[in-house]
Amino acid sequence: GQQLNQSPQSMFIQEGEDVSMNCTSSSIFNTWLWYKQDPGEGPVLLIALYKAGELTSNGRLTAQFGITRKDSFLNISASIPSDVGIYFCAGSNYGQNFVFGPGTRLSVLP
Amino acid sequence: NAGVMQNPRHLVRRRGQEARLRCSPMKGHSHVYWYRQLPEEGLKFMVYLQKENIIDESGMPKERFSAEFPKEGPSILRIQQVVRGDSAAYFCASSPIPTSGDGVGTQYFGPGTRLTVL
């Protein structure tokens, strides 16, 4: 079946640093989604990407839909303590067959 | 506009009992998905439903688990004769109709139900 890989699995950064994480797939998706999950809560949608090559920002977050449609990256600029959490990527095709990556665990040191 | 609602937030059951988890999708959303998450792991797809229809149940165990999304009321994930291995967080997500334009292919999650089997 389809699988997504996320890297890195975990990262420890200093407050104020920029963060970059990515997601790759063995197959094509026409939608890429990035979510953040805090402990004990459900995933919250951060950014949705619908077109190959699309670059979208949401505040300090920027995500891109790879031109091959098999990858996506998420950047966080000037990290702050509340950025701590698990970041999941997900791919889907026409609203069906959602596949999630295993997550990147982000820790921000003051 | 209320988000996806799940209840209960926490559920404790003894082995052999039944667990019923409820999910009300966002207003205007007609598609519901259920996922399971074990501690320190990602989300595993279980089942995808429309009103009165199961679209894809490939991720759901064949025995003891069932899901429905009736014409009226919330979607229900039912686990019969629970075992300790069923302990997990169960998340529901909803999405608009796939062909409706904006937001196509986007899911919004509820806060989850944490099931503990004693």
Side-chain angles (χ1 to χ4, degrees), chain B residues 30-50:
Chain B
S30 58
H31 294 244
V32 164
Y33 310 77
W34 286 93
Y35 293 85
R36 172 183 156 124
Q37 186 179 39
L38 293 171
E40 304 299 314
E41 292 190 11
L43 295 150
K44 299 295 185 193
F45 167 77
M46 297 181 73
V47 61
Y48 165 34
L49 309 112
Q50 281 179 324

Side-chain angles (χ1 to χ4, degrees), chain A residues 5-65:
Chain A
N5 296 308
Q6 285 189 248
S7 63
Q9 283 188 325
S10 61
M11 52 196 315
F12 293 82
I13 60 168
Q14 295 285 340
E15 184 177 352
E17 287 184 353
D18 295 344
V19 174
S20 185
M21 59 187 80
N22 75 330
C23 186
T24 58
S25 168
S26 57
S27 51
I28 289 170
F29 290 105
N30 69 3
T31 301
W32 282 94
L33 307 167
W34 284 93
Y35 291 87
K36 177 176 182 271
Q37 186 177 29
D38 291 328
E41 301 294 330
V44 174
L45 182 65
L46 299 174
I47 293 181
L49 301 155
Y50 301 108
K51 293 179 185 174
E54 178 183 356
L55 184 71
T56 297
S57 292
N58 177 9
R60 293 179 297 107
L61 278 59
T62 302
Q64 183 157 32
F65 191 145

Side-chain angles (χ1 to χ4, degrees), chain B:
Chain B
N1 188 12
V4 178
M5 304 188 59
Q6 290 187 249
N7 67 81
R9 291 292 306 271
H10 299 273
L11 182 61
V12 179
R13 285 287 178 266
R14 295 192 181 281
R15 278 181 300 168
Q17 290 185 320
E18 178 180 287
R20 278 189 182 229
L21 288 62
R22 283 175 286 279
C23 170
S24 296
M26 284 179 72
K27 188 177 179 181
H29 286 190
S30 58
H31 294 244
V32 164
Y33 310 77
W34 286 93
Y35 293 85
R36 172 183 156 124
Q37 186 179 39
L38 293 171
E40 304 299 314
E41 292 190 11
L43 295 150
K44 299 295 185 193
F45 167 77
M46 297 181 73
V47 61
Y48 165 34
L49 309 112
Q50 281 179 324
K51 291 273 188 186
E52 300 183 285
N53 248 338
I54 296 176
I55 307 299
D56 180 357
E57 55 182 349
S58 59
M60 200 155 67
K62 296 279 186 281
E63 296 180 353
R64 302 190 298 108
F65 285 73
S66 62
E68 62 176 9
F69 189 13
K71 189 176 179 182
E72 302 290 338
S75 175
I76 307 281
L77 178 67
R78 183 179 174 211
I79 311 173
Q80 294 178 290
Q81 299 175 342
V82 296
V83 300
R84 290 220 175 99
D86 296 332
S87 296
Y90 292 84
F91 291 97
C92 165
S94 73
S95 72
I97 298 170
T99 56
S100 67
D102 281 355
V104 170
T106 304
Q107 286 186 333
Y108 297 88
F109 280 83
T113 293
R114 275 141 193 87
L115 173 65
T116 301
V117 180
L118 302 176

